[in-house]
Amino acid sequence: MNADKNFVDDHPWLGMDTRAVKKDLLRHYHLTLGRTQAVCGELYLYQAAALTVRDRLVERWASTRESYQNARSRRVAYLSLEYLMGRALNNALLNLDMEHALEQSLRGFGCALEEVVEQERDAGLGNGGLGRLAACFLDSCATLSYPVTGYGIRYDYGIFHQKIRNGYQVEVPDHWLESGTPWEIVTYDATCRVKFGGHTQSWTDEEGRYRVRWVSDSEVLAVPHDVPVPGYRNATVNTLRLWRADATERLSLADFNSGDYADAVHEQNVAEQISMVLYPNDVSVNGKVLRLRQQYFLSSASLQDVVNRWHRDHGAGMKNFADKNRFQLNDTHPAVAVPELMRILIDEKLLDWDEAWAITVETMAYTNHTLLPEALERWPVALFRQLLPRILEIICEINARFLQEVARHWPGDEAKLRDMSIIEEGPEQQIRMAYLAVVGSSSVNGVAALHTQLLKAGLFKDFYELWPRKFNNKTNGVTPRRWLAFCNPGLKALLDRYLGTEWVVNLDELRKLETFIDEKDVRHAWRKIKYDNKTRLAALVKERTGIDFDPAMLFEVQVKRIHEYKRQLLNVLHVIHLYDRIRRDDTVALAPRCVLIGGKAAPGYFMAKLIIKLVNSVAAKVNNDPLMKPWLRVVFLPNYQVTAMEKICAGTDLSVQISTAGKEASGTGNMKFMMNGAVTIGTLDGANIEIRESVGAENFFAFGLNAAEVQALRCDYRPNEIIAADEDLTRVMALLESGHFSHEEPNLFRPLTGSIRDPGDPWLTAADFRAFVQAQKEAAATYLDVERWTTMSMLNTARSGYFSSDRTIREYARDIWGLGQEQSAAASLQAQGAA
Ligand code: 26Q
């Protein structure tokens, strides 16, 4: 065999020792980047470090691909419009165990590693929980050596950068690729073409088959940008393939020659728009044409890619394709993959409908992430007709056949046909993407036990009756590599010392911590670690807001997207209540506390933006009042992102998870806090319920209405009576309504107080106020009992093993993807052999 062809196999892997790393660092600095004098804290040193690490990833990447190929195992494509990857360098250093070598190498330049890693911009290609979940899943798949490829879009602009001006959110574009990224390799030879617009033609071919041709009026190139996803110390490197959109014809020569330069680049601009920017709404959908173009672009390119590889590896036929492939849809955003796979199989591979449908349903699986009606995607039929005419025909055929099945199951039931139809009738026909995903998949899962239960009883009730076996739960998890081993080095050292190092890949091992729960030294070390982490967090708060947090005080944190259902407003009501108590000099059993709230609001979400302004106004009032100083500090932390959470979760005492019961599908921030020894104050919603079960009710501050009580109260909700009957709440509302926090504009917060007083308030904020205050009192009293709090904190970490995304991914692999144990083990063995 030609040595060049197999460079990686024929050469020993690059050294991991300081000498080898330092040599490559210098080489990249001088030769790849063309620099002469290394300057500490500059971008180029980071880039040289990243390239040095990347070389080692690329070697393992090639061998991982080969071992998957040899194992001929089933493959999974994870389709997601969002990946919130955060920083890659730190993560790769941990997973390849290179931190020490790089640190030493940089020392030669008189430079600290911490300074170098700070140069990296977050890859913020997602909004919140759903995007970060995708990133945690990729980490677990690589760590477990599962052959899973992530597919997404390489947005030029990720989630906006949040600035706060005069207390208001201002969105600044996130041009994260400004100085390039060392973490992608462009794979031009796997470029695909995606069709848009035009019309369809049908004919009967020589063999008498009914055929359809989609004559599009434009085509866009999808260019793969591959990002390495390293597993934890197992020599596996999986792939995140991100598509960038490009024009097929770079510029129109005709237009160019006729002198219209602007028109000449028009097509290019239209094409490139597709991968230009991430849509910044996380809950309510916005129905923009460009968003549908993004969805189809991702779905079509990814499916073509999988089918192309299939032919490369297995020849021309589609036999066994269903046995060897699975597609996981991250919410309905890529649900158009269902009709797109049908199109490829029927129009291009010439399968008949039934064969194609069997393959499609067998290979597709759908994860639902929300029950909120405003988050359910619907697209006008008219828009599909214009943009994706062939796909619309296929959806109509899927629906027609599906409705026949409904009619067989519920004979004569017209209402059922109307309720379950993929196409919603009305003044404007709409496609219900969630129904399309359910009908076209063999698995439908929710993301926490309560959420799945509510899906089966509510949104998908009829579908559950029709196909009970499709439905299953997969409670979310988070990766313990980033969310414990990396973000909490102090705690990692303690765990390594007392438990050994297995816990990083087997988080259930944390249970062993319970055997040390009474050991004085451990308890003392535990408190010291938390104190140090709080000091780190305080430094971040100081840098971003100018406010001093005192690490001796209770750190209470609520960070997540700003949304009414998450009830940051309830948190603020409690803060105002504390402020009111301190002003009245009622400080009995009060624990001095620092309250941190952070998160981005969708740019068009008025109420969420007003909540941000309120937090800032209350913070200003509190922090400028000398009376408050010993008791209360409040900040809104600007630009909450993955990298900020790495410091935040390690330095938190009390994790605030207070969504209206039944509304938060799962939550994943709650899990990161728990792992790092924070205690939760929370409602019985989403994964909070399972967190409480795991840690024990005595180690969790639960409060408020449960999902059933929320439902029941809706019919007869009288917030004004609740307020009138509650002296504390009356005072809080009076402060807000008197303009106490908005002197120049006394009515500024009326929309918020009005919503609390509205009998139609869907979030029942007033209903849970008293219970929240009570739970907060208990939390404060407990915090003041240092020993009791230490025990609670330790037990939260010790019992968090279930919330590892390794557990979640094992369940996906077993129940949905059917990835056998042997497949993962074989790949892992091969990779290790290569290492
Ligand atoms: C849809 C159409 C058009 C534009 C935007 C969107 C869109 C984008 C993102 C809709 C929703 C999202 C994100 C949803 C999300 O993050 N959901 C969260 O998922 C987490 C992981 O399962 C859960 O833990 C959270 O409870 C859930 O809110």
Side-chain angles (χ1 to χ4, degrees), residues 500-718:
T501 55
E502 258 293 292
W503 62 269
V504 181
V505 287
N506 179 6
L507 205 64
D508 291 325
E509 290 278 301
L510 291 180
R511 264 200 185 277
K512 291 189 185 152
L513 196 54
E514 291 189 43
T515 56
F516 298 98
I517 197 127
D518 293 323
E519 286 198 17
K520 265 200 138 139
D521 293 354
V522 180
R523 297 174 67 86
H524 186 261
W526 192 269
R527 287 193 286 266
K528 164 94 167 67
I529 290 162
K530 183 58 86 178
Y531 190 90
D532 291 347
N533 289 332
K534 288 167 75 174
T535 306
R536 251 193 336 156
L537 175 52
L540 179 76
V541 169
K542 176 76 178 175
E543 176 200 317
R544 299 271 174 93
T545 69
I547 300 299
D548 286 298
F549 268 20
D550 176 356
M553 294 163 78
L554 165 71
F555 279 20
E556 179 205 308
V557 177
Q558 186 181 25
V559 284
K560 48 182 79 244
R561 286 298 289 250
I562 311 293
H563 197 288
E564 289 165 282
Y565 86 80
K566 295 177 187 281
R567 293 199 299 195
Q568 282 91 358
L569 194 49
L570 178 59
N571 196 0
V572 177
L573 294 183
H574 174 252
V575 170
I576 297 174
H577 168 63
L578 291 178
Y579 167 80
D580 181 44
R581 276 185 62 188
I582 299 163
R583 288 210 317 165
R584 300 194 315 245
D585 205 21
D586 170 14
T587 56
V588 246
L590 210 65
R593 64 168 98 198
C594 299
V595 179
L596 186 155
I597 298 174
K600 293 171 183 175
Y605 189 171
F606 170 77
M607 292 293 264
K609 292 181 124 175
L610 194 55
I611 291 170
I612 292 176
K613 171 64 175 171
L614 175 63
V615 175
N616 280 305
S617 302
V618 171
K621 198 89 189 168
V622 168
N623 299 334
N624 289 320
D625 185 338
L627 256 184
M628 298 297 136
K629 186 126 201 250
W631 297 108
L632 190 59
R633 231 55 64 79
V634 183
V635 299
F636 183 87
L637 188 82
N639 201 41
Y640 172 61
Q641 54 175 352
V642 170
T643 299
M645 184 57 159
E646 289 164 3
K647 288 206 181 94
I648 294 168
C649 67
T652 296
D653 295 309
L654 188 60
S655 154
V656 178
Q657 310 295 338
I658 57 178
S659 50
T660 309
K663 297 300 167 195
E664 190 69 272
S666 163
T668 44
N670 47 3
M671 301 168 185
K672 296 163 197 167
F673 286 115
M674 180 199 196
M675 260 177 213
N676 286 278
V679 183
T680 306
I681 183 164
T683 46
L684 296 176
D685 197 15
N688 291 353
I689 295 173
E690 290 154 84
I691 288 177
R692 177 164 170 268
E693 275 163 13
S694 298
V695 76
E698 67 285 9
N699 302 304
F700 184 111
F701 300 102
F703 74 94
L705 304 170
N706 65 28
E709 291 164 342
V710 163
Q711 280 286 354
L713 184 59
R714 280 262 158 68
C715 327
D716 186 26
Y717 179 49
R718 302 183 208 166

Side-chain angles (χ1 to χ4, degrees), residues 283-301:
V283 170
S284 65
V285 299
N286 64 3
K288 291 281 185 350
V289 185
L290 181 59
R291 170 74 180 187
L292 183 59
R293 291 169 74 92
Q294 291 182 334
Q295 296 185 349
Y296 183 66
F297 173 75
L298 167 69
S299 303
S300 179

Side-chain angles (χ1 to χ4, degrees), residues 746-783:
N747 289 324
L748 181 60
F749 299 121
R750 277 298 147 131
L752 297 177
T753 51
S755 77
I756 296 171
R757 291 185 179 280
D758 181 355
D761 173 21
W763 322 117
L764 306 177
T765 303
D768 275 341
F769 176 80
R770 181 45 45 193
F772 185 46
V773 168
Q774 192 51 41
Q776 284 280 19
K777 263 188 195 148
E778 280 165 43
T782 311
Y783 183 76

Side-chain angles (χ1 to χ4, degrees), residues 81-82 126-134 137 278-288 291-292 294-295 330-333 367-370 372 374-377 379 446-448 451 474 476 561 565-566 663-671 686-687:
L81 271 282
E82 305 196 3
N127 275 286
L130 167 150
R132 183 53 229 179
L133 185 76
F137 280 4
L278 166 81
Y279 274 93
N281 13 7
D282 67 327
V283 170
S284 65
V285 299
N286 64 3
K288 291 281 185 350
R291 170 74 180 187
L292 183 59
Q294 291 182 334
Q295 296 185 349
N330 200 18
D331 216 298
T332 53
H333 313 159
T367 304
N368 174 285
H369 295 266
T370 184
L372 298 182
E374 60 267 42
L376 296 178
E377 288 195 283
W379 292 104
V447 290
H451 171 61
K474 293 289 167 281
N476 284 166
R561 286 298 289 250
Y565 86 80
K566 295 177 187 281
K663 297 300 167 195
E664 190 69 272
S666 163
T668 44
N670 47 3
M671 301 168 185

